[in-house]
Amino acid sequence: MTWTLIIGDRTYSSWSLRGWLLFEAFDIPVKVRQYPMYSDALAAALRAVPSGSNLVPQMVAADGCAVWDTLAMAETLAEDHPQMWPADAGQRARARSMVAEVHSGFTALRGACGMNLRHVYDGFAPSDAVRRDLARVESLWAGADGWLFDTYSIADVFFAPIATRIVTYGLPVSERARDYVQRHLDHGPLRRWRAMGLAENFVQPGYDLDLSRGPWPGERIPAEAVASGTPVNQTCPYSGAPVRPDAMARIDGRIIAFCNPFCRDKSVADPGAWPGLQPLLR
C-alpha cells in the first residue's frame, strides 16, 4: 500500500517526527506533505482527509483509508513490515509497553519542554515533575546497549523526540542515557529531519525561550549558500533534475548546485546527513 503522510513543522512537531521516522527509518516509501502548524493550509489539508481529526501526523492511502494516530500508524505499518518490532516475543511485548507509555505519558516533560530542534538552551531549570519523568525515562532505557532492543525499532522511534528534548533543554540524565541520546543525534534519518526543518527556516511563535543558547552537538562539514561559482555537477544529487544557478552551495570547499533552494538549504544545514550528496564530496 502506498501512503501519503501529512505533517506539521519539522522543527517543533514531535508527533510528526515520529510519524515520519516510521517510514524513513525502515525504508518504507511515502509521499510527504508538510504544512506549518496552526496554518489555514494545514487545516484545509486535514479537512480533506476522511478521518475527521485535526491533528498531525496522518497517513492516507490512495483508496482514502486514513490512520490518524502514531501508535495506530506503527501497528498498521508493522503488519506489512514486522521487522519494525523486535523479533523475540518477550522483547516485542516490552517494546509495545514502552511505546504505549511514551505515547500517553511523560506529560510534565512534554508540557515544559516542547520539541525545538533549533536550539540548545543554557540555564533551563526542570521542575520536580519533569525530573520524575526523566527518572522513569532512564529506567526504561537502562537495558539499552545501543538501540533499546539491539536493532532500531518502533520503540526507538517513539523515544526520539524525548532524546532531542534532553539535548535542547540540557536536562540532567546519566552518562548511559546520554550515550543513547547521542545515538539518536548520530542517526541519519533524525539528522535529515532536523536539516529539513532548518531549511524550512520557519520560527513558530511561542516556542523559543528567553535563555542563552549554544550549538547543536556534533561536528558538521563546512557549508554555506553561495550566489556564484562553477558547480562540480550538472544534475541535482537528490532528484536528478538540472541544477539552478540560484541554488548553489560551497560544501567542504566544493561548489555544488541543486534543483531548488530547499535542496541546497537542507544540504547546507547538515551535509553529512545525505547519502546522495556524499559522492560529490569525495
Side-chain angles (χ1 to χ4, degrees):
M1 186 177 291
T2 301
W3 297 98
T4 294
L5 182 69
I6 302 173
I7 61 172
D9 303 330
R10 290 183 173 92
T11 301
Y12 306 104
S13 179
S14 60
W15 295 104
S16 293
L17 169 59
R18 288 190 180 101
W20 184 81
L21 284 174
L22 288 170
F23 288 92
E24 179 72 8
F26 298 97
D27 296 320
I28 302 173
V30 66
K31 179 181 179 181
V32 178
R33 293 165 56 194
Q34 185 274 332
Y35 304 92
M37 294 187 300
Y38 319 116
S39 67
D40 293 340
L42 176 58
L46 293 177
R47 282 196 298 270
V49 176
S51 68
S53 171
N54 62 355
L55 301 177
V56 289
Q58 296 197 37
M59 66 185 204
V60 187
D63 64 2
C65 173
V67 186
W68 60 93
D69 176 272
T70 51
L71 186 51
M73 290 169 60
E75 291 289 14
T76 299
L77 292 173
E79 289 178 0
D80 292 327
H81 305 276
Q83 74 278 10
M84 297 173 72
W85 288 116
D88 177 79
Q91 287 193 330
R92 194 161 60 249
R94 178 170 173 80
R96 282 194 167 106
S97 298
M98 291 169 67
V99 166
E101 182 171 350
V102 75
H103 181 263
S104 61
F106 305 111
T107 54
L109 174 58
R110 296 208 315 259
C113 306
M115 192 178 83
N116 189 333
L117 302 182
R118 296 178 64 241
H119 300 307
V120 174
Y121 292 120
D122 182 32
F124 179 81
S127 67
D128 289 343
V130 169
R131 289 178 180 273
R132 286 193 293 272
D133 277 354
L134 288 172
R136 177 56 180 164
V137 167
E138 287 209 59
S139 72
L140 294 173
W141 292 357
D145 184 14
W147 296 118
L148 292 173
F149 295 93
D150 297 328
T151 60
Y152 193 88
S153 74
I154 292 171
D156 299 295
V157 167
F158 273 70
F159 277 105
I162 299 291
T164 72
R165 286 174 164 99
I166 289 172
V167 174
T168 296
Y169 297 90
L171 299 176
V173 295
S174 67
E175 199 63 37
R176 187 180 184 89
R178 291 202 172 279
D179 289 342
Y180 178 67
V181 169
Q182 188 60 49
R183 195 167 183 85
H184 279 285
L185 297 186
D186 294 338
H187 193 214
L190 181 59
R191 288 176 63 177
R192 291 191 287 275
W193 172 271
R194 180 173 180 269
M196 288 188 288
L198 295 177
E200 287 165 7
N201 195 30
F202 176 73
V203 178
Q204 189 68 252
Y207 275 72
D208 288 350
L209 299 182
D210 187 19
L211 292 172
S212 60
R213 300 161 185 172
W216 193 262
E219 295 184 4
R220 295 290 182 267
I221 298 170
E224 61 179 346
V226 295
S228 62
T230 302
V232 299
N233 60 313
Q234 283 73 51
T235 59
C236 180
Y238 309 122
S239 68
V243 300
R244 289 168 32 177
D246 64 342
M248 296 193 298
R250 181 181 292 106
I251 302 177
D252 204 21
R254 298 186 175 199
I255 302 297
I256 298 173
F258 302 89
C259 64
N260 60 62
F262 183 77
C263 283
R264 174 199 64 200
D265 293 343
K266 73 181 187 181
S267 302
V268 168
D270 189 354
W274 303 98
L277 184 61
Q278 302 317 299
L280 295 175
L281 300 179
R282 294 179 186 141

